[in-house]
Every structure is written in C-alpha cells, then in structure tokens.
Amino acid sequence: MYRNLSFWILILLLVSCKNKTEEVASKEMKHPNVVLIFTDDQGYQDVGVFGANDIPTPHLDQMAGEGIKLSSFYAAQAVCSASRAGLLTGCYPNRIGIHNAFMPDSKIGLHPSETTIAEMLKANGYATGIFGKWHLGDHPDFLPTKQGFDEYFGIPYSNDMWPFHPQQGPVFHFGPLPLYENETVVDTLTNQSQLTTQITERSVDFINRNKDRPFFLYVPHPQPHVPLFVSEKFKGKSGRGLYGDVIMEIDWSVGQILNALKVNNLDKNTIVIFTSDNGPWLSYGNHAGSALPFREGKGTAWEGGHREPFIIRYPNGLNGGRNIDTPVMAIDILPTLAEITGSELPDTVIDGKSVWKLLNGDSKESPQEAYYFYYRVNELHGVRYGKWKLYFPHNYRTMKGQKPGKDGLPGNYVYLDLKEIELYDLSRDFGETTNVAGEYPEVVEKIKQLADAMRKKLGDSLQEIEGTEIRLAGTIE
C-alpha cells in the first residue's frame, strides 16, 4: 500500500514539475525581453549591411544575418524630439503636440498622460531602463522616470546644447550640459569621449541585474550627432574619419549588449532592435553621415531625412537572414511590441499598427495604407503610398550647390520652394530624381484623398487646417 502511495505521489510531483516547467517556458515565450538601440542623426548608408564599405560594423552585420533587415523603414519625423515621441508612443508626433527639437529649459514636454513603450511594458511586469539621450522634456515633470522608466542615466537633450557649440554667443547661449542619474544631475560634461562607453556599461549592468525577469532596455545613443566624440579605443580606426570611428564604437556597444544577453542565456528570447531617429545632418560635411542612395537628409521629408537603417533580431520568434522592403514606420514599433509581449495598448488613439505578421512572414503587406511625413509645426510635406512617394508644395532646405561644413563647423543651407505636387516611383527611382506626377494622375488623386482625410484628423498648417484629434503636449508654468 505504502509503495503504491509513494508511486502516485512521485507521479503527481513529476506532473507538477512538468506543468511548472511548461508554464515557465510559456511565460518566457510570451514575455521576451526588449532592447531598443536608437542612434542620433545616423544615415541610411552608415552600416555595413546597408552599404557602408569604409566603416567596419561586424556586430550589426552579424545581427542582420541572424535577424531581419528592413530596407524601407522610416523615422516618425526628421528631427530629434518629434522622432522620439513617435517612437515611444506609437503616435505621429503632431497628434500629441510634439514638434521640432526641444531646447534646454523648455516649457513643454511629452505629456505624462501619454503612454510610452516603457509604461506599457512596465504594466506587464517589465523592468525598464533608459541609458542615453532623452530629449522629450528636461523639466523634472517630464524626465524618463515620470514616463515609465525605473532607471535613467544620460543627457536630457542633444549633446550640442552646451557652451562649446561652434555658434555659442552669436546664435546660442547654452548653459552646462547635465548628466543625469535618475532625477539628479551627477555631473556636467566638458568632454564626451567616454559617454558611449558609460552608456554601454550601464546597459550591460542593467541586463545582468534583471536577467531573471522580463526587461525593456532603451539605449538612445547621443552619437553620431555632432559634436562627435569617440574613445581612444576607436580613434582613427575607420576609413571615414572621426564620423566612421564613432559608428565603429556604436557597433562595439551593440556587440557588448548582444554578448551580455548571450552570457546570461537571454539572447534567444530577447527582441533586439537597432535604428536611428532621422537622417544625417548634411551641413556638417565630413562630420555627417551618408543617406545615399537617397535624397537630402535630416530636417527634410525627402527619403534621406526619414529612411533609416533598421535591424531586428529575435531568434525565438523570427527566422533570420531576411530583408523586408515593405514600408514600416517607427510609430509601428509600440503596437508590434504589444502584440509580441501580450501587453495592453494605450487607451488613447495611436497611429501605429502591429507589423508582427509582416516580420514573421505571415503577410507581405503593410497594415498601413499610407504613411504621412510632417515637419516643422504641423506641416504635411509628403505621403508614402505603396511604391509611391508624393510631396505637396512646401519650403525645404538643401546643401546642393553649397559649401559643406568641415571638422565640426556647419555649412549653410539654402532654402527652396517646392511649388507643385511631385510624385516619385521609389521602386525605380531611389534618389527621387524624376517627377512622374503628370504620368499618373490617378495615383496623385488617390494620395490627395488620403492626405485630406488625415488633415481632418491631424491638421495641416500649410493649408491652415486644424485637426480634430490633436492632443496637447505637457506644459509647465
């Protein structure tokens, strides 16, 4: 009798252990870790697998080989603060009242009522950390710790907003550049050569400390935004001067993070994303990146301003070694992560849609009918619709025909007026050189209809239209 009883107890224990193991495994599959690496002003062509032949990026190249490369990925807007707002909230930046790049001591910031990726995942049990550049409000009410992040180390706005700016005095009057630890200023920077290393070390430490629970690690590097800084270990190592050296150090940082995931047996169940906030700041010449083969750069709606390198690696959920050319925008990252992690979407309206089926191969179509390219204060400059890109009349900047800047000093843009609607077939004309609006009037008309529908929602200051769905940014007295 006792033998039989012992036998059944053993069976029950084994079944219990099996169920527990399956429960843990299921939880791990449902709650992958998320690492989002976001660089600043990096051009499309500034990664080996995206065309760079003079900057070694072995870790990013390997990540692309093991993951997926998106060759038609767009930043939410072609400028710092607006782009970051779109990435973290899944909204077009103008929907939530965010425009341009915030200056120090700004009276506005990302509204605390908006839901960030960090807040969404934190509600699902994730540890959250940001190490790098914030730029969504430097007032205490707008810091990352008020937007869902458990930990913060980095700078509150762009690294050129400091007393050593080349135009300090005649144009700008910046104070010291603060370095934050959570909500406390722990230093003011006079040299940034160790900042990439510090951000990397903090990121690795965060992974080590949170290896036993799901986590969201956001690494928004201040580089390669000017002024360029690199540590001694990469100085003079690339074939593209200081700019290339900086990219090599960022690639090293990616390698350190990937290695930390592997050492902690987390690499297969971690989503790692690498991309940038907007295209290169072309006025800085040899201190700027390359958007080739695309037109223009940062601060424009042309392809070079918005199209960015994008790599995603997630061995447990995605087959690697693929390239996807279907358009995707940064606003789609939040809802995609929500679907993968089983997290709840924000209660408020967002613009992004999950592209999980596109990534995992279940679909080849974008869930978005079109993408809209706003700039300045709510100006609708362009629309991407399938293979087509249409531009409405607007004023834009270019370095074409201008003397470029050199060694940290900017050149001068010239401003041009686009006077008529222009249409480009991006499947044949990457560089947007041939306007085909006259040949495809039906395409122009369709995109105009889409644009008019979006203007009703989000407005368009070029046509003096106020949208009905605009929300306000956070403000302080």
Side-chain angles (χ1 to χ4, degrees), residues 42 52 70-71 82 87 115 117 193 262 270 277 292 339 351 379 419 447 471:
Q42 185 168 356
L70 300 188
S71 52
L87 172 79
T115 301
I117 294 174
S193 60
K262 187 173 183 179
T270 300
D277 68 338
L292 293 176
E339 180 172 357
D351 298 291
E379 296 182 6
K419 296 182 178 180
I447 297 176
R471 304 197 288 265

Side-chain angles (χ1 to χ4, degrees), residues 13 45 59 64 67 82 94 106 118 132 145 158 174 177-178 195 207 218 232 248 255 280 343 347 393 413 436:
L13 286 172
Q45 200 185 54
H59 300 104
N94 47 311
S106 173
T145 49
S158 291
F174 293 124
L177 178 63
L195 192 52
I207 292 170
Y218 177 42
E232 287 293 331
M248 285 185 67
S343 301
D347 294 331
Y413 286 104
V436 295

Side-chain angles (χ1 to χ4, degrees), residues 25 154 193 226-227 237 258 291 339 351 455 457:
S193 60
V226 291
K237 295 297 175 67
L258 292 174
E339 180 172 357
D351 298 291
R455 289 185 180 108
K457 297 177 182 179

Side-chain angles (χ1 to χ4, degrees), residues 1 15 17 21 23 33 46 50 145 188 241 256 264 280 298 308 317 323 331 351 398 407 415 427 437-438:
M1 176 180 178
V15 170
C17 289
T21 300
E23 180 182 337
N33 307 303
D46 296 338
F50 284 88
T145 49
T188 53
Q256 294 292 299
N264 287 291
K298 173 180 179 174
E308 293 299 318
N323 178 75
I331 58 174
D351 298 291
T398 182
D407 298 340
Y415 287 80
S427 68

Side-chain angles (χ1 to χ4, degrees), residues 137-158:
D138 62 319
H139 186 274
D141 290 350
F142 303 135
L143 290 176
T145 49
K146 301 296 178 63
Q147 299 283 2
F149 288 98
D150 300 324
E151 302 178 31
Y152 168 45
F153 173 83
I155 59 177
Y157 33 73
S158 291

